[in-house]
Amino acid sequence: MNVLIIGSGAREHALAWKLKQSARVEKLCVAPGNAGTARIATNIESPISSLQSLISSLQINFVVIGPEAPLADGLADALRAQNIRVFGPNQNAAEIESSKAFAKAFMRRHNIPTARYETFSNFDDAVRHVESVQYPIVIKASGLAAGKGVILPETLDDARDALRQIMLEHEFGAAGDAVVIEERLQGEEVSLLAFSDGFTVKAMPPAQDHKRLLENDLGPNTGGMGAYAPVNLPENFLDEITRDILQPTIDGLRAEGRMFVGVLYAGLMLTQDGARVLEFNCRFGDPEAEVILPLLESDLLEVMEACVDGKLAQCDVKWARGAAACVVLASGGYPGKYATGIPIHGLDAMPNRNAMIFHAGTKLQDAQVMTNGGRVLCVTGVGKNLGDALDTAYAAIRPLGFEGMQYRKDIGQKAMIPQVSSL
Ligand code: AMP
Ligand code: GLY
């Protein structure tokens, strides 16, 4: 089987690393990939528009789409129309991520627990609403905003400013044509991802992302500075979330003619009243993929094929017992402005076999690996428990460096305190 992965981050490097272990993968290509994927697969520099002809010339028979943007743009539909097998939802099912207004209305229609909300496309109406609500709120641009379209205002003035920036100054472009204003919830956040073939869902080990730049969850939001899995949840919790959230979502989408084939990602808040959906994504999370995939014992290609062929119910998806943790090494200045093209050293040090260095924003220049993005590397450790996994990840970081490198030293620490981990 010749497999093509679309994307260029650490998530796609982790996907390539795991698919490479599959005995049935013959040719493995990544478009466009990065310096890490170049070591284990063939990188393909090609605009999405010419991908289809490339796929036939490379004799690709299976495509895995990593990021949300090509899914929202309908790449899966276009490939399926050419009879190419694709792991990733069609455009109408991807709307569960690409339109928060759609996702919230969908959850309301199907009784999926989420924060109460209203949707607005008129600025004055939105302002009147924030002036009248009696509870703390969150303001979200409805469309895709590269993880930046969610604002948690502290005061009424902050809320008005946010609405002005999103709706009048178009800070997130058309993504802000509609805004969702919802109740701000309290609790621990968990990312629960699941494989889906449109009928059956199989949950992966729950993971926790660390979105803030600085230790103790301070500083600005980022794409994610580290993650760990599994999150210790009370017994039966996973079954309940699968029954009350994941399965009704897949069933509801199918009932509306939106078959969901791929990874459904539920961003959950564990409130005192139970789990509530903060958002859905239509793909693997990044950095969640970098801790979940190393725990997968089954052959990833077989699981993905079972999803594509509608046979997930018959597929035994096995997970390792231990834990995994990852730490993101980011460019100085990220998530604001940062430089690129800085040489990275230490990549040739022999890591422990329980450590993996997944490349995010890197590129090769004359055989030297250079920084090429805000998040540069994602270092994962696997171990028999979270403490071991963290020790391995942080030890593997030691030889690595580049000018301006920053990373959090407290990934997973909250989970190491027993009363928090038992929720
Ligand atoms: P989202 O992209 O919708 O997941 O939002 C990004 C982040 O904003 C989440 O990971 C939460 O930390 C926070 N957030 C989103 N919605 C809410 C909410 N209703 N209450 C509290 N925090 C939220
Ligand atoms: N880790 C958050 C995301 O992938 O959207």
Side-chain angles (χ1 to χ4, degrees), residues 214-226:
L214 304 173
E215 275 139 43
N216 301 313
D217 293 326
L218 298 173
N221 260 327
T222 69
M225 295 299 290

Side-chain angles (χ1 to χ4, degrees), residues 1-2 11 28 43 64 67 81 149 158 169 209 235-237 242 247 297 315 330 341 356 363 397 404 406 416:
M1 179 94 62
N2 296 331
R11 165 181 52 208
L28 184 61
N43 280 357
V64 178
D158 288 351
E169 292 161 19
D209 187 2
E235 226 181 310
N236 298 333
F237 214 76
T242 303
Q247 190 68 53
E297 282 183 345
C315 178
M356 299 108 207
K363 65 173 177 214
I397 289 174
Q406 51 167 342
M416 303 295 284

Side-chain angles (χ1 to χ4, degrees), residues 209 211 223 265 279 281 283-288:
D209 187 2
K211 288 214 166 91
Y265 167 141
E279 64 163 345
N281 294 324
R283 40 136 187 115
F284 273 106
D286 190 351
E288 286 91 338

Side-chain angles (χ1 to χ4, degrees), residues 160-349:
R160 286 196 203 96
D161 283 348
L163 289 173
R164 196 171 304 118
Q165 278 165 15
I166 298 174
M167 301 184 83
L168 300 183
E169 292 161 19
H170 307 289
E171 185 171 338
F172 307 115
D177 287 353
V179 294
V180 167
I181 301 176
E182 68 178 32
E183 181 176 9
R184 187 162 170 172
L185 303 173
Q186 301 289 335
E188 278 294 305
E189 275 187 56
V190 178
S191 307
L192 186 61
L193 284 68
F195 290 106
S196 167
D197 64 359
F199 293 88
T200 300
V201 282
K202 295 219 167 162
M204 306 184 199
Q208 190 164 59
D209 187 2
H210 295 59
K211 288 214 166 91
R212 302 290 202 99
L213 178 71
L214 304 173
E215 275 139 43
N216 301 313
D217 293 326
L218 298 173
N221 260 327
T222 69
M225 295 299 290
Y228 71 89
V231 176
N232 221 340
L233 295 177
E235 226 181 310
N236 298 333
F237 214 76
L238 261 189
D239 292 341
E240 280 171 30
I241 298 174
T242 303
R243 185 193 63 207
D244 299 339
I245 293 177
L246 298 175
Q247 190 68 53
T249 300
I250 293 300
D251 292 343
L253 285 170
R254 190 180 63 252
E256 296 186 9
R258 301 169 188 261
M259 271 287 269
F260 193 100
V261 173
V263 171
L264 178 70
Y265 167 141
L268 303 171
M269 184 77 93
L270 307 181
T271 74
Q272 283 187 330
D273 305 320
R276 299 282 180 272
V277 177
L278 296 181
E279 64 163 345
F280 281 118
N281 294 324
C282 62
R283 40 136 187 115
F284 273 106
D286 190 351
E288 286 91 338
E290 295 94 290
V291 291
I292 292 172
L293 291 170
L295 295 175
L296 179 64
E297 282 183 345
S298 304
D299 181 315
L300 179 59
L301 182 65
E302 274 174 23
V303 180
M304 287 179 159
E305 283 194 282
C307 292
V308 170
D309 298 340
K311 293 183 176 154
L312 186 58
Q314 293 99 287
C315 178
D316 189 14
V317 186
K318 288 205 185 76
W319 300 97
R321 275 179 175 279
C326 73
V327 182
V328 169
L329 310 184
S331 295
Y334 173 80
K337 283 207 176 75
Y338 53 82
T340 58
I342 299 170
I344 304 170
H345 47 83
L347 284 168
D348 293 323

Side-chain angles (χ1 to χ4, degrees), residues 50 58 107 223 259 296 322:
S50 55
L58 290 168
M107 286 188 264
M259 271 287 269
L296 179 64

